[in-house]
Amino acid sequence: MTAQMERAYLGLGANLGDPVAQFERAVAELERSGVSVLARAALYRSAPVGPQDQPEYTNTALLIETALSPLELLELLKRIERALGREDGVRWGPRVIDLDILLYGSVELSSERLTIPHKELAKRRFALQPLADLAPEQVVPGLALTVRALLERLDDDPRSVRRVEPA
Ligand code: A4P
Ligand code: MG
């Protein structure tokens, strides 16, 4: 019997240490755990949203395929965050890695531990821009708008999230 595979989009963020190296490690840990990484967005840099007294963030996104349920996937992401040295800190504070589930198939769910699509997705250029590299025409469940349309609806400066080349 083959397990039901689902496609999901993950948002990656980091503003401590070496963000690009940490993204590489996160991808390796996902693959090692049986999650297939099918595509990767470009890297983007932006000022922190939230507390301003922290370094700039680097963000990217991944398209993955997995047999894990949403909650199992969340548990795996938390394990990888810890393995990469993330410590519990202030909400929206600096971190060596942040792994968020942006979308999971066409699932919509909201519980204390997990909300899909990610609660802040529609407001955040740093999450929508990399996601648009992978899936601009993807309709976001619950919002009935595509990723591209959500991006176009934002009223901040499009240049606030800059595409960067890997070093
Ligand atoms: N949780 C609920 N839904 C989800 C989901 N879809 N994916 C819960 C992942 N986790 C989800 O998250 C807190 C809890 O949210 C998790 O334990 C999980 O049960 P966390 O990552 O442990 O804590 P946090 O990151 O401090 O809080 P929060 O609200 O998730 O912050 P964000 O949204 O992750 O924001 N500015 C820029 N430019 N770029 C960034 O990447 N990131 C943040 C962090 C702030 N400012 C930023 C960036
Ligand atoms: Mg998070």
Side-chain angles (χ1 to χ4, degrees):
M1 202 177 86
T2 52
Q4 182 63 44
M5 298 297 261
E6 276 286 3
R7 287 186 172 201
Y9 293 91
L10 304 182
L12 282 62
N15 72 341
L16 293 178
D18 181 342
V20 176
Q22 283 136 212
F23 295 163
E24 293 302 325
R25 282 188 60 198
V27 166
E29 290 291 331
L30 286 164
E31 296 272 11
R32 218 164 58 90
S33 307
V35 171
S36 301
V37 175
L38 302 182
R40 300 168 66 160
L43 299 166
Y44 292 88
R45 202 159 291 151
S46 56
V49 168
Q52 294 298 296
D53 57 340
Q54 56 175 325
E56 280 206 319
Y57 275 83
T58 304
N59 289 98
T60 191
L62 305 175
L63 167 60
I64 62 165
E65 191 169 60
T66 182
L68 300 175
S69 70
L71 269 177
E72 289 168 341
L73 180 59
L74 178 69
E75 284 307 317
L76 173 62
L77 299 183
K78 299 263 137 213
R79 273 209 304 285
I80 295 174
E81 286 180 347
R82 284 194 298 271
L84 267 63
R86 173 155 170 195
E87 287 160 10
D88 291 336
V90 288
R91 177 149 192 256
W92 292 13
R95 69 272 320 276
V96 293
I97 190 84
D98 187 27
L99 300 170
D100 288 335
I101 304 172
L102 302 177
L103 303 173
Y104 181 101
S106 54
V107 165
E108 267 183 78
L109 72 85
S110 182
S111 70
E112 200 186 325
R113 292 176 62 207
L114 185 59
T115 302
I116 296 176
H118 191 281
K119 257 201 303 299
E120 308 284 342
L121 175 62
K123 296 183 210 155
R124 292 178 158 181
R125 187 175 297 276
F126 70 73
L128 286 170
Q129 183 63 64
L131 184 56
D133 282 355
L134 302 175
E137 305 307 334
Q138 172 78 44
V139 174
V140 176
L143 297 177
L145 287 169
T146 64
V147 170
R148 189 201 302 280
L150 288 171
L151 258 182
E152 284 168 358
R153 225 176 50 154
L154 292 178
D155 59 9
D156 62 345
D157 182 353
R159 290 164 305 180
S160 62
V161 174
R162 290 129 34 219
R163 190 178 170 136
V164 293
E165 299 305 325

